[in-house]
Amino acid sequence: MSGKMKLIFGSVLVGCLMAASVACAQISRDEACDVVYRYFPGATITKVEHDWDDGHEVYEIDFQYEQYKDAECTIDANTGNMLEYELD
């Protein structure tokens, strides 16, 4: 295989690997917010961020709930499971 062919093959292989490593959230931003509302009825969501946490695609959601003005939770973007929450 010539040097030019190796370069093209390597570029294609890297592109395929990069495309395979980029996951696409299975749940939408609105569905992630619905998880918050299910656990904390009447909550007011103040911020939603799509992010990666320890290799997992997540939604990090800040909200207010009852007397808790600085609450936050992490929702798995692929399963819709609440991974953690904190009420402050």
Side-chain angles (χ1 to χ4, degrees), residues 30-77:
D30 290 341
E31 290 170 319
C33 292
D34 288 343
V35 173
V36 174
Y37 296 136
R38 193 171 348 145
Y39 283 90
F40 305 101
T44 300
I45 293 177
T46 57
K47 183 177 171 185
V48 179
E49 289 185 353
H50 181 252
D51 201 2
W52 289 86
D53 185 17
D54 295 327
H56 292 88
E57 194 172 12
V58 297
Y59 288 100
E60 295 176 348
I61 302 176
D62 295 346
F63 61 99
Q64 297 175 349
Y65 178 67
E66 297 178 348
Q67 74 269 23
Y68 305 103
K69 300 301 178 196
D70 191 24
E72 58 188 53
C73 69
T74 304
I75 307 293
D76 186 301

Side-chain angles (χ1 to χ4, degrees), residues 15-29:
C16 289
L17 291 173
M18 288 176 62
S21 69
V22 176
C24 183
Q26 297 297 310
I27 67 166
S28 69
R29 179 181 194 269

